[in-house]
Amino acid sequence: AYKDLGNLDQALMDYNKSIELKPNAYAYSNRAELFRIRGDLDNAMADNLKALELDSSDSVISVIYYNRGLIYNDLGKKDQAMSDFNKAIELDPNNYSAYGSRGIMQEHLGNTDQAIKDYNKAIELYARAIELNPKDSNAYNDRGLVYARQGNLKQAISDYSKAIEINPAFYSAYNNRGNAYAKQENFDRAIADFNKAIELYPKYSSAYNNRGTAYYDIGNMKQAIDDYTKVIEIKPDDADAYYNRGLSYNKQGDLNKAIEDYSKAIEIDPNYVNAYNARGDLYVKQRNLTQSVEDFSIAIELDPDNTWTYNARGNSYYDQGDLDQAIEDYSKAIELDPNLSQAYNNRGLAYKDQ
């Protein structure tokens, strides 16, 4: 109950007391979820493993595997996450949350048909759960997430609103509805929902990040920077927050601060392709072409099918006078996307100057 009210400190104290009095899988699993919300993934994983040791019933273990899959996903360990979602469904074919999360992973992997199957199954199970318990705010919220993934924002907003009606302190439902409004470009309502989520849970880093993005989208860079800075205060190792703040500084024209933030994002996550591309682009503006080529080259190693990066590196080579390398990059961009008119134009200029 305290967790649902956003009082995570009190919730943690109660979970600790429950475990102290009688170690049990429910308390460890619940505390693991709380640690994950806070970004403390090491402790989350440790508690999940302890929960697995303490319970043997399929339905409970299914939930524990599902929660561990979420932790693996947050850690960037996609294969392990998928394996745990599969195991959760194997143990409990009615675990609607596992179907929803697996569908998201299938979508990211490009397995569209399987993602659709998982989403449809999740919605079917959510409907059954709601029929059995019309006051299940979690089922409405989670079904809303699936509808949002399917692009059905109207139905998603309806489900989030129902979850909030049942539980007015449901801070994550406000955050999720805010995201849906933002996708509709209804930024006033989105920001109002993010405000409410933050009011209910003042350390809710996701809500600060999403509100920052909404402010960015409406051109309020100062407020966006403030929100991303708040995320960094709460989660100092959040690479996305540094990257997003870098984008905002770039919009303000403060290239040095933007590069500093992109560099920090890369330090936290050395595989952050977008950060390399963004930093490389700013090095181009500063005429630091050697560094821009280096950043674009790393980005290509990490994402060999990114046409934008090949074209951008080609431009840097062109500006350095290395026309052969420029033509090679433009040609690769065209090979990957035969309709990329900009690459044809750039290659034409390079051929002309040879």
Side-chain angles (χ1 to χ4, degrees):
Y2 279 126
K3 180 180 76 67
D4 289 341
L5 291 171
N7 191 342
L8 300 192
D9 291 334
Q10 187 61 54
L12 179 59
M13 290 173 62
D14 280 357
Y15 295 148
N16 290 342
K17 189 65 176 179
S18 176
I19 291 167
E20 176 190 332
L21 293 170
K22 183 181 179 181
N24 62 92
Y26 286 107
Y28 275 110
S29 181
N30 288 333
R31 192 172 70 175
E33 182 186 3
L34 187 152
F35 282 136
R36 189 182 72 82
I37 291 170
R38 284 183 158 180
D40 187 351
L41 301 183
D42 290 338
N43 276 322
M45 184 63 74
D47 271 4
N48 247 282
L49 293 174
K50 191 66 178 177
L52 280 171
E53 294 175 10
L54 292 171
D55 205 298
S56 59
S57 61
D58 285 353
S59 60
V60 174
I61 294 179
S62 173
V63 173
I64 295 169
Y65 271 108
Y66 165 70
N67 288 334
R68 192 174 70 172
L70 295 177
I71 297 168
Y72 276 132
N73 186 56
D74 289 347
L75 288 167
K77 298 180 177 180
K78 305 300 182 183
D79 290 340
Q80 291 96 319
M82 180 69 84
S83 177
D84 273 0
F85 294 146
N86 288 337
K87 186 67 175 177
I89 291 167
E90 176 189 329
L91 290 165
D92 181 6
N94 293 317
N95 189 330
Y96 43 71
S97 296
Y99 277 106
S101 294
R102 191 174 71 174
I104 292 172
M105 295 207 69
Q106 297 285 10
E107 184 180 346
H108 287 161
L109 290 170
N111 302 330
T112 305
D113 291 342
Q114 187 58 53
I116 291 171
K117 288 179 182 178
D118 279 349
Y119 288 148
N120 289 340
K121 185 64 177 179
I123 288 172
E124 174 193 329
L125 294 173
Y126 285 130
R128 194 181 304 168
I130 289 167
E131 184 178 350
L132 292 171
N133 180 10
K135 296 296 183 181
D136 189 344
S137 59
N138 287 312
Y140 278 108
N141 178 69
D142 291 354
R143 188 174 69 175
L145 290 171
V146 175
Y147 278 130
R149 297 299 304 187
Q150 292 180 319
N152 189 346
L153 298 179
K154 181 179 179 181
Q155 188 60 55
I157 289 169
S158 176
D159 272 1
Y160 298 141
S161 297
K162 186 65 177 179
I164 291 166
E165 177 187 326
I166 295 168
N167 178 8
F170 202 158
Y171 56 87
S172 60
Y174 280 105
N175 182 59
N176 294 333
R177 191 173 68 177
N179 283 332
Y181 281 134
K183 287 180 180 177
Q184 291 183 329
E185 298 187 355
N186 190 339
F187 294 113
D188 288 341
R189 284 190 171 182
I191 289 170
D193 272 354
F194 297 140
N195 288 345
K196 186 65 177 179
I198 291 167
E199 176 190 328
L200 291 167
Y201 177 21
K203 294 183 179 179
Y204 197 2
S205 60
S206 292
Y208 282 107
N209 182 76
N210 294 333
R211 190 175 69 178
T213 300
Y215 281 127
Y216 178 92
D217 288 339
I218 63 175
N220 188 339
M221 295 305 130
K222 181 182 182 303
Q223 191 61 55
I225 289 168
D226 287 346
D227 275 350
Y228 295 137
T229 300
K230 186 66 177 180
V231 177
I232 292 166
E233 288 177 14
I234 298 168
K235 295 176 65 178
D237 291 333
D238 191 322
D240 289 335
Y242 280 103
Y243 173 73
N244 290 334
R245 193 173 69 174
L247 293 176
S248 303
Y249 280 131
N250 183 24
K251 280 283 189 179
Q252 281 191 328
D254 194 336
L255 304 192
N256 289 329
K257 281 189 176 180
I259 288 174
E260 184 179 326
D261 272 357
Y262 296 146
S263 298
K264 185 64 178 179
I266 290 166
E267 177 187 328
I268 295 168
D269 180 4
N271 296 319
Y272 206 142
V273 174
N274 288 341
Y276 284 109
N277 278 329
R279 190 174 69 177
D281 195 42
L282 292 193
Y283 282 136
V284 171
K285 292 179 180 179
Q286 293 183 332
R287 308 312 295 163
N288 187 346
L289 299 177
T290 300
Q291 192 62 56
S292 72
V293 167
E294 182 177 327
D295 272 359
F296 293 144
S297 296
I298 295 172
I300 287 169
E301 287 179 20
L302 295 169
D303 183 9
D305 296 327
N306 192 322
T307 57
W308 184 93
T309 314
Y310 279 106
N311 188 66
R313 190 175 68 174
N315 289 339
S316 290
Y317 280 133
Y318 178 89
D319 289 343
Q320 285 181 323
D322 191 341
L323 300 183
D324 289 339
Q325 285 290 344
I327 289 169
E328 185 176 326
D329 272 357
Y330 296 142
S331 297
K332 184 63 178 179
I334 290 166
E335 176 189 327
L336 292 168
D337 181 3
N339 296 315
L340 190 62
S341 62
Q342 187 178 15
Y344 284 104
N345 181 68
N346 292 338
R347 190 173 67 177
L349 290 173
Y351 277 134
K352 179 176 71 69
D353 291 341
Q354 264 189 328

